[in-house]
Amino acid sequence: MEKDKNWKLKTKIVRAAHYGCPQTGSIAPPIYQAVNFKVDNVDDGADRCRNFDNGYIYTRLGSPTQTLLEAKMAELENGEAALAFTTGVAAITATLMCILKQGDHVVADGTVYSATNYFLSNLMTDYGIETTFVDCSNPDNVKKAVKENTKIIYFETPANPTVKLVDLKEMAAIGKSRGIMTIVDSTFGSPYLQRPLDFGIDVVIHSATKYIGGHGDVMGGIVIGKKDLMDAIRDKTLKNLGGVISPFDAWLLFRGLKTLHLRMQRHCENAMEVAKFLEGHPKVERVFYPGLPSHPQHELASKQMDDFGGMIAFELKGGFEAGKTLMNNVKLCWLAVSLGDVDTLIQHPASMTHVYIPQEEKLKAGITDGLVRLSVGVEDAEDLIKDLEQALEITK
Ligand code: LCS
């Protein structure tokens, strides 16, 4: 079996990158659980050390199972090449550290995953790299924040945890007209819902821990973009900081990916039903779900996403206390961080995932004390609604 360039996305999700093991014919790919690869002679060893394209040598530089995952993700995102890391955070930090140098400036959205915020606002500053945080959902804010030394525009869409959207086409245009690289964390979308490179974005990042794996049993991070940039990241910050994915984790993610479309379809269907239920509930103040016409960027979502995803944020009329009661009383939803699992997960960003961010910044990013984040799983929507209903009953 060989790849057909006309395959549609769902066929690529199932079939891309592995066309049967050449030695055994196994349809599931083998796991190369190996650290070392023998070289033919000293010159061959030197060539492989110098350039990864000359062959495997040591798994910290890359392994065959990792290559499979990278090839599949590059195909799904319509990118030239990809790199796989041990976590999403490893992918983000290695990418930024490869591109940025002392004296550079970043424009980043104020609503990003807390570790990304921490990295830019506390760690990179130690190395002379400054970040201006703005609301990228208004492109004028980005244009105003750009400086002479701006190297990167960085954002998430949909953003964690408020499910705010950023216009991919607009950001790409701003970047291209000023020679600034655009990087999007597309974790909430997954390649099933949006393919940012098609809009002109330079680099796409995923926490593969979420929808790519899908089962809450493996961590990983993926970066997709131009081959020369991926080569530079491998050579500089993957190899030398060491956040490479293990062969087994790469294999688990490759397996998880095969059902991405099936899981995402159900995540989207369920989230739409749950969002409608929440929006009609008297104890709910506001629901943020891109699929609802009430979402301020519903129109943009319809333009740049194929469906609206599994992530919902909502605020209760009773604020923090009501949120706490709700979360302490759900029975089917797990009270847990992370997202994108087949199981429904509920959490409170202000006190859990985004606890490290100063209150003022949290409020600027829309992370109020009463905001609840729901990662809708693939259970029966009726059961999920029943669970939320009984827990809302108890809240004041
Ligand atoms: N990007 C986004 C949008 C995320 O939501 C996360 C993790 C990361 C990057 C980092 O990926 P990791 O290193 O964990 O694979 N988000 C989490 C969350 O909302 N709760 O727990 C983790």
Side-chain angles (χ1 to χ4, degrees):
M1 208 253 307
E2 277 179 28
K3 147 178 165 182
D4 177 338
K5 67 176 174 22
N6 296 317
W7 279 345
K8 302 231 177 346
L9 181 66
K10 288 175 196 156
T11 307
K12 286 205 274 181
I13 284 171
V14 182
R15 292 295 188 88
H18 179 67
Y19 307 107
C21 171
Q23 275 152 3
T24 64
S26 79
I27 291 168
I31 307 172
Y32 288 89
Q33 190 66 38
V35 168
N36 305 317
F37 298 84
K38 108 180 155 56
V39 297
D40 295 337
N41 51 52
V42 171
D43 289 341
D44 178 36
D47 284 346
R48 293 182 195 216
C49 285
R50 218 175 279 127
N51 186 341
F52 180 73
D53 286 343
N54 292 329
Y56 300 105
I57 183 153
Y58 185 61
T59 285
R60 181 154 40 72
L61 280 65
S63 71
T65 319
Q66 178 184 343
T67 301
L68 270 184
L69 173 64
E70 291 170 350
K72 191 159 189 121
M73 281 303 296
E75 285 213 32
L76 299 186
E77 290 284 2
N78 298 329
E80 278 182 18
L83 272 183
F85 292 82
T86 182
T87 62
V89 162
I92 294 164
T93 54
T95 301
L96 293 174
M97 287 182 85
C98 174
I99 299 163
L100 295 167
K101 291 194 179 55
Q102 190 177 24
D104 286 343
H105 175 249
V106 178
V107 176
D109 195 292
T111 311
V112 287
Y113 178 56
S114 54
T116 309
N117 180 305
Y118 184 87
F119 180 71
L120 287 169
S121 52
N122 291 286
L123 291 179
M124 291 313 265
T125 44
D126 289 348
Y127 299 89
I129 294 157
E130 189 208 349
T131 298
T132 305
F133 290 96
V134 296
D135 177 1
C136 294
S137 66
N138 180 351
D140 286 341
N141 294 339
V142 179
K143 287 179 198 161
K144 273 188 217 142
V146 163
K147 300 185 191 181
E148 248 337 63
N149 57 341
T150 305
K151 272 275 168 63
I152 288 174
I153 297 170
Y154 186 100
F155 60 97
E156 296 175 3
T157 187
N160 188 358
T162 59
V163 206
K164 174 187 83 173
L165 265 65
V166 175
D167 192 320
L168 291 164
K169 216 167 137 192
E170 286 266 9
M171 289 304 114
I174 296 172
K176 289 219 180 326
S177 65
R178 291 161 177 79
I180 301 168
M181 193 176 282
T182 46
I183 303 183
V184 61
D185 180 333
S186 189
T187 298
F188 272 35
S190 90
Y192 180 70
L193 297 182
Q194 61 190 19
R195 286 149 312 275
L197 300 180
D198 293 352
F199 292 85
I201 297 295
D202 295 304
V203 178
V204 176
I205 299 184
H206 289 280
S207 164
T209 313
K210 316 295 191 265
Y211 290 110
I212 306 297
H215 294 73
D217 53 11
V218 56
M219 299 199 79
I222 313 273
V223 183
I224 309 105
K226 289 262 188 275
K227 167 98 168 73
D228 54 0
L229 178 63
M230 297 304 109
D231 287 348
I233 298 172
R234 189 193 300 278
D235 211 40
K236 278 172 75 176
T237 45
L238 174 59
K239 181 168 94 181
N240 295 307
L241 295 179
V244 78
I245 196 160
S246 78
F248 185 58
D249 288 352
W251 186 88
L252 278 174
L253 290 172
F254 190 90
R255 184 176 74 158
L257 263 177
K258 287 203 166 213
T259 56
L260 179 70
H261 53 316
L262 304 176
R263 289 184 282 108
M264 291 311 293
Q265 276 166 6
R266 179 60 69 84
H267 283 299
C268 294
E269 284 163 21
N270 280 0
M272 184 61 99
E273 282 194 48
V274 171
K276 282 186 188 155
F277 158 75
L278 288 170
E279 194 163 53
H281 198 283
K283 290 184 181 169
V284 176
E285 177 74 38
R286 272 186 87 176
V287 180
F288 303 92
Y289 181 63
L292 292 177
S294 60
H295 190 285
Q297 295 150 303
H298 176 61
E299 210 178 299
L300 174 63
S302 311
K303 265 201 276 180
Q304 68 183 29
M305 299 174 77
D306 293 340
D307 206 335
F308 304 111
M311 298 302 297
I312 299 175
F314 60 100
E315 270 175 39
L316 293 170
K317 288 193 177 143
F320 182 74
E321 279 309 314
K324 223 168 124 184
T325 311
L326 171 82
M327 280 176 276
N328 283 335
N329 284 285
V330 285
K331 294 191 171 102
L332 178 60
C333 306
W334 297 102
L335 177 55
V337 297
S338 202
L339 58 107
D341 291 4
V342 286
D343 294 46
T344 294
L345 311 173
I346 194 166
Q347 73 113 358
H348 181 228
S351 68
M352 293 167 77
T353 46
H354 291 67
V355 70
Y356 307 108
I357 302 178
Q359 179 72 358
E360 196 189 319
E361 279 181 44
K362 271 195 284 216
L363 291 178
K364 251 202 265 165
I367 306 165
T368 57
D369 280 348
L371 192 80
V372 176
R373 192 188 74 184
L374 192 61
S375 169
V376 181
V378 302
E379 304 92 339
D380 194 305
E382 226 177 281
D383 289 333
L384 293 172
I385 289 170
K386 246 194 247 163
D387 188 36
L388 290 165
E389 199 164 29
Q390 65 78 27
L392 280 166
E393 190 75 17
I394 304 163
T395 62
K396 294 242 165 55

